[in-house]
């Protein structure tokens, strides 16, 4: 709104009329009562024709004033208010004129002066005041001319002075009221603009700028409302949704394609949810849904499955066909549970869905609660752990079938918590990776492996596992390199094993850090080979010296295809000019299969379970003495190409 400049006089008439409405209601109400009482008085003072005329006039005036009072109170259009005032004023003048004709009394001439004052104050504008005042002056002149011409000058002068005074008061009063009302109107408009702006800003603060969906802050407000409704018996569900494969789209096609994919996916979700569910974007490719008025788990599952199918339809973005899926975790909203616990449960169900094939709906169950509680205990213990004191290393030998000797050992971390006792390696390593604590464990394992190598007279080359978090952290790789350099050991004694899946998050960065390690003389092994997505060209670009074939390939030795697949893997390794090691060799049949496939390196319980450093040294000595081989130091050098 643009406020008129100071030099411009605003139109204040509408505002004055608004202010006058309650004043006029009082004016009409009092006048109606006055003429009603006056009608009764006439019956006591007049008779005959005079009574009929004067009582009729006062009754009509009372009814007109009463009708005007009712109309003003019922918000009659503001444009019609002056009409009511003019009619009422003329009726009042008519009553005075009739009274003067029936019985003239000089002292009653004061009524004309009073009417001038009343009409001037009762009218909403100067123009209307003049319209009402001029007939009063004309009536006064007529009465004086007929009954008291000698008083013409005196009453004319007094009445004229009253008119001037009343008009002056009316003008300045209305001017002041108009400006005050106008200022109030402007203030209200500015306040409304501020409120509108505040509402827009609030809407923006509660909306996701990319998709237009409610954001995290808006979700938590609605989530609290849903918990309140749940207290009154309304069954609702919390659903966490995460897009599968979105990062690959972002990395492969660019962020603009990724952003458009998010917008289109959000549109599909919004269309599917309609007015039945509350949808919000939490961040990245994560969305939250609140499903109200649903009690049956089967109904929730069917609804979510329908959404997954809708999301999984092919997207056309900039002439490119893109397809993704989604995973969903569900938890019924229990008002007795904390917000954090409900979200944690749904998130755990979502994590379970993504770990078990993706494109799934998982409802949080009692067994999930038990596993989640166990996970929480382990994570809490990990966060407070002194890894240097609580982690010890065991070593599992890697055996060379051609030379029949132990050529390397894999360093395996074992954690014994003061509060939980011994924790299974697969469990605490997984949780450490998910919670971002794995780097602390890796650094301790590297330190202990280096300490073991330095303590042995005849060092046996060791392998240490690196997680995806380690491999993608320039800082951690730098610290590992520094620790090896500070130890003074030959980097060739410390091999690093990396899984294919650990590299998938950022292949370029992972490859660069692998090159940093390789350039400093560390052998690199690709662990769990066959469970990821590597192809020949991809492997050829990596600075690896060994493939470690996953143990799952040896689980079904009765399948004729097993030996063919293993033989092809060994052949691929030979083509690449690198070694091939089979993991999980636990019996003679698996050993035979490994030999027939053509590998010369194996690892498994058949050649040694995880053991202490002293046991490893003894195993190397005993085995070498038994087969009359070269000393362990020389064997280690031969295995390293020395």
């Amino acid at each position: 709104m643009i406020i008129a400049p100071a030099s411009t006089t605003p139109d204040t008439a509408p505002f004055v009329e608004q202010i006058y409405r309650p004043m006029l209601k009082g004016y009409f109400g009092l006048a109606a009562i006055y003429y009603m009482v006056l009608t009764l008085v006439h019956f006591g003072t007049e008779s005959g024709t005079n009574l009929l005329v004067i009582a009729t006039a006062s009754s009509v005036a009372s009814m007109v004033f009463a009708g005007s009072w009712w109309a003003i109170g019922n918000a009659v259009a503001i444009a019609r208010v002056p009409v009511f005032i003019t009619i009422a004023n003329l009726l009042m003048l008519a009553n005075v004129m009739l009274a003067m004709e029936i019985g003239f009394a000089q002292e009653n001439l004061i009524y004309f002066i009073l009417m001038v004052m009343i009409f001037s104050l009762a009218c909403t504008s100067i123009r209307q005041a003049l319209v009402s005042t001029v007939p009063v002056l004309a009536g006064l002149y007529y009465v004086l001319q007929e009954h008291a011409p000698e008083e013409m000058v005196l009453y004319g002068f007094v009445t004229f002075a009253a008119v001037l005074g009343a008009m002056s008061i009316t003008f300045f009063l209305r001017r002041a009221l108009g400006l005050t009302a106008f200022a109030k109107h402007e203030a209200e408009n500015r306040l409304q603009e501020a409120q509108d702006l505040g509402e827009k800003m609030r809407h923006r603060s509660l909306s996701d700028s990319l998709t237009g969906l409610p954001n995290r802050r808006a979700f938590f407000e609605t989530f609290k409302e849903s918990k309140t409704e749940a207290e009154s018996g309304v069954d609702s569900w919390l659903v966490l949704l995460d897009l599968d494969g979105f990062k690959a789209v972002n990395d492969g096609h660019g962020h603009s394609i990724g952003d458009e994919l998010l917008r289109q996916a959000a549109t599909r979700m919004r269309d599917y949810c309609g007015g039945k569910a509350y949808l919000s974007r939490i961040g990245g490719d994560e969305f939250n849904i609140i499903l109200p008025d649903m009690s049956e788990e089967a109904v929730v599952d069917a609804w979510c499955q329908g959404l997954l199918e809708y999301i999984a339809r092919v997207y056309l973005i900039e002439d490119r066909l893109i397809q993704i899926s989604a995973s969903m975790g569900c938890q019924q909203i229990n008002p007795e549970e904390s917000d954090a616990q409900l979200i944690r449960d749904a998130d755990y169900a979502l994590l379970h869905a993504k770990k078990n094939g993706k494109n799934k709906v998982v409802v949080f169950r009692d067994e999930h609660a038990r596993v989640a509680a166990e996970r929480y205990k382990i994570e809490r213990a990990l966060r407070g752990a002194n890894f240097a004191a609580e982690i010890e290393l065991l070593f599992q030998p890697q055996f060379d079938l051609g030379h029949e000797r132990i050529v390397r050992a894999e360093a395996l971390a074992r954690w014994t918590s003061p509060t939980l006792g011994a924790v299974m390696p697969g469990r605490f390593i997984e949780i450490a990776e998910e919670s971002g604590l794995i780097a602390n464990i890796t650094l301790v394992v590297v330190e202990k492996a280096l300490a073991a190598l330095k303590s042995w007279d005849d060092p046996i080359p060791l392998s240490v596992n690196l997680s995806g978090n380690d491999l993608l952290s320039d800082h951690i790789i730098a610290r590992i390199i520094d620790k090896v350099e500070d130890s003074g050991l030959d980097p060739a004694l410390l091999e690093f094993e990396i899984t294919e899946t650990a590299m998938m998050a950022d292949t370029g960065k992972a490859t660069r850090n692998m090159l940093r390690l390789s350039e400093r003389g560390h052998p690199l092994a690709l662990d769990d080979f066959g469970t990821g997505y590597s192809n020949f060209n991809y492997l050829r670009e990596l600075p690896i010296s060994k493939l470690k074939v996953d143990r799952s390939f040896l689980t079904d030795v009765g399948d004729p295809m097993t030996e063919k697949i293993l033989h092809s893997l060994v052949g691929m390794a030979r083509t690449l000019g690198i070694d091939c090691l089979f993991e999980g060799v636990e019996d003679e049949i698996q050993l035979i299969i490994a030999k027939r496939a053509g590998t010369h390196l194996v690892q498994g319980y058949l050649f040694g379970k995880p053991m202490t450093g002293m046991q490893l040294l003894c195993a190397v000595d005993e085995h070498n003495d038994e087969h009359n081989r070269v000393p362990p130091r020389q064997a280690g050098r031969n295995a390293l190409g020395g």
Side-chain angles (χ1 to χ4, degrees):
M1 175 173 289
I2 301 176
I3 299 178
S7 60
T8 303
T9 302
D11 181 13
T12 61
F15 308 110
V16 172
E17 291 174 352
Q18 283 293 108
I19 292 176
Y20 261 72
R21 185 184 288 272
M23 296 169 59
L24 291 174
K25 184 178 180 183
Y27 169 58
F28 289 141
L30 290 174
I33 295 172
Y34 171 77
Y35 279 102
M36 188 183 301
V37 173
L38 191 59
T39 300
L40 298 176
V41 172
H42 287 327
F43 279 96
T45 59
E46 304 292 340
S47 62
T49 303
N50 290 342
L51 174 62
L52 177 62
V53 173
I54 196 69
T56 300
S58 61
S59 298
V60 171
S62 178
M63 288 187 289
V64 170
F65 276 112
S68 299
W69 173 85
W70 180 87
I72 291 292
N74 285 272
V76 67
I78 198 72
R80 298 173 63 184
V81 170
V83 177
F84 284 93
I85 297 174
T86 302
I87 293 173
N89 289 346
L90 292 177
L91 277 173
M92 187 180 294
L93 175 60
N95 272 269
V96 173
M97 294 297 292
L98 284 173
M100 287 293 186
E101 287 297 319
I102 291 173
F104 174 78
Q106 185 173 336
E107 61 271 17
N108 289 339
L109 291 174
I110 193 66
Y111 285 122
F112 288 95
I113 298 174
L114 291 176
M115 282 191 292
V116 168
M117 302 294 292
I118 292 172
F119 291 176
S120 297
L121 294 174
C123 294
T124 60
S125 67
I126 295 297
R127 181 182 299 173
Q128 187 187 5
L130 289 172
V131 171
S132 297
T133 302
V134 169
V136 174
L137 294 176
L140 175 63
Y141 176 79
Y142 172 80
V143 170
L144 288 173
Q145 188 69 34
E146 289 290 325
H147 301 287
E150 70 279 4
E151 301 292 339
M152 182 71 72
V153 176
L154 175 62
Y155 278 95
F157 180 78
V158 172
T159 305
F160 181 71
V163 169
L164 289 179
M167 287 298 176
S168 299
I169 293 173
T170 299
F171 175 79
F172 289 111
L173 177 63
R174 280 157 181 72
R175 180 65 178 171
L177 289 174
L179 292 175
T180 301
F182 183 76
K184 178 176 179 292
H185 175 73
E186 291 297 305
E188 289 175 345
N189 282 347
R190 288 185 176 275
L191 177 61
Q192 185 61 49
E193 288 180 352
Q195 290 174 341
D196 293 343
L197 179 60
E199 184 61 28
K200 289 180 181 179
M201 295 301 293
R202 180 179 181 276
H203 178 72
R204 289 182 181 178
S205 71
L206 296 176
S207 299
D208 172 55
S209 59
L210 179 64
T211 63
L213 293 175
N215 60 13
R216 176 187 294 271
R217 179 181 173 188
F219 162 75
F220 278 104
E221 289 186 6
T222 304
F223 187 45
K224 291 182 184 299
E225 294 174 3
S226 299
K227 289 188 68 178
T228 302
E229 292 175 357
E231 292 176 353
S232 59
V234 178
D235 292 322
S236 300
W237 287 74
L238 170 64
V239 180
L240 305 189
L241 182 149
D242 189 87
L243 298 179
D244 303 325
F246 173 74
K247 190 178 188 309
V249 173
N250 230 10
D251 293 343
H253 298 281
H255 290 286
S256 61
I257 297 291
D259 288 347
E260 182 59 26
L261 176 60
L262 282 175
R263 280 191 285 267
Q264 292 192 21
T267 298
R268 290 189 186 182
M269 286 185 256
R270 185 191 293 113
D271 293 342
Y272 187 86
C273 291
K276 296 180 180 179
Y278 179 85
L279 171 67
S280 58
R281 182 187 178 212
I282 302 304
D285 59 348
E286 300 174 5
F287 299 82
N288 286 4
I289 301 172
I290 296 176
L291 287 174
D293 299 326
M294 287 192 185
S295 57
E296 296 296 329
E297 181 181 314
V299 176
V300 174
D301 183 83
W303 188 92
C304 292
Q305 291 290 351
L307 178 56
L308 290 186
E309 293 175 5
Y310 194 34
I311 292 173
R313 296 178 184 177
V314 176
Y315 297 81
L316 177 61
I317 303 176
E318 296 183 8
D319 298 326
R320 305 181 192 185
L321 295 178
I322 297 175
Q323 188 167 22
I324 58 171
S325 61
S327 300
M328 303 172 76
C330 311
Q331 170 66 311
Q332 189 166 17
I333 297 177
N334 182 353
E336 297 180 358
E337 295 282 359
S338 67
D339 294 356
Q341 185 61 51
L342 290 171
I343 293 173
R344 187 159 49 240
D345 291 346
D347 190 52
Y348 189 84
L350 172 62
L351 182 65
H352 190 77
K354 295 186 79 68
K355 282 187 175 181
N356 289 272
K358 303 181 179 180
N359 196 27
K360 292 180 180 293
V361 179
V362 173
V363 176
F364 190 81
R365 304 184 186 281
D366 291 341
E367 57 266 29
H368 294 147
R370 178 184 57 78
V371 175
E374 178 191 0
R375 184 190 186 284
Y376 175 72
K377 290 180 180 179
I378 294 175
E379 181 178 344
R380 184 172 60 182
L382 282 169
R383 292 190 181 279
N386 179 2
F387 293 125
E390 298 171 19
I391 282 184
E392 66 171 340
L393 295 189
L394 296 182
F395 305 92
Q396 186 172 30
Q398 296 177 0
F399 196 78
D400 186 327
L401 296 176
H403 296 89
E404 296 187 7
R405 65 172 180 261
I406 296 172
V407 293
R408 189 178 292 275
E410 181 178 359
L412 304 171
R414 295 295 184 263
W415 176 48
T416 302
S417 167
T419 57
L420 303 179
V423 182
M424 293 296 293
R427 191 72 179 125
F428 82 79
I429 292 294
E430 175 189 18
I431 295 173
E433 288 182 343
E434 293 172 357
S435 58
L437 300 171
I438 190 64
N440 297 334
I441 296 176
T442 300
L443 292 174
V444 169
V445 170
V446 170
E447 289 177 355
K448 289 182 176 288
L450 292 173
L453 287 170
K454 293 187 70 173
S455 67
W456 296 337
D457 293 334
D458 296 304
I460 302 166
L462 297 179
S463 293
V464 171
N465 289 279
L466 293 182
S467 72
N469 293 342
D470 301 327
L471 195 59
L472 298 180
S473 172
D474 295 338
H475 174 67
I476 297 301
I477 297 300
R479 290 190 64 183
I480 290 173
I481 292 172
D482 289 343
K483 288 180 182 297
V484 176
E485 289 181 352
D486 292 343
S487 72
L489 292 170
D490 183 356
L493 290 171
L494 191 61
E495 178 184 71
F496 291 104
E497 298 185 7
I498 298 126
T499 63
E500 294 180 74
T501 53
M503 303 178 61
M504 296 305 297
D506 190 337
T507 304
K509 191 169 189 177
T511 302
R512 287 193 297 272
N513 279 328
M514 289 175 68
L515 285 170
R516 290 174 65 188
L517 294 170
S518 177
E519 288 169 356
R520 281 163 175 79
H522 293 286
L524 300 177
L526 193 60
D527 197 12
D528 297 337
F529 182 73
T531 60
Y533 308 97
S534 295
N535 55 48
F536 184 82
N537 291 330
Y538 172 66
L539 291 175
R540 188 171 56 182
E541 297 174 358
L542 296 177
I544 57 175
S545 57
K546 183 190 298 180
L547 293 182
K548 294 188 70 175
V549 177
D550 187 71
R551 66 180 63 248
S552 60
F553 285 91
L554 287 172
T555 55
D556 190 6
V557 293
D559 186 350
M561 288 300 298
T562 296
E563 187 173 336
K564 293 181 180 179
I565 293 173
L566 293 175
H567 190 274
S568 65
L569 293 178
V570 174
M572 182 172 62
R574 286 175 180 165
T575 301
L576 292 170
I578 58 179
D579 291 326
C580 184
L581 180 147
F582 284 5
E583 294 183 287
V585 178
E586 300 181 356
D587 56 41
E588 294 294 339
I589 295 178
Q590 291 175 332
L591 176 60
I592 292 172
I593 294 295
K595 288 181 177 180
R596 290 172 59 176
T599 188
H600 66 96
L601 295 175
V602 292
Q603 179 179 343
Y605 281 10
L606 184 62
F607 298 94
K609 296 181 179 181
M611 60 189 69
T612 65
M614 184 60 67
Q615 291 171 331
L616 175 65
L617 294 177
C618 292
V620 171
D621 289 338
E622 291 174 4
H623 196 81
N624 287 341
D625 288 343
E626 178 182 349
H627 295 280
N628 194 24
R629 299 298 179 187
V630 295
R633 180 189 297 273
Q634 188 62 40
R637 289 175 179 169
N638 290 342
L640 294 169

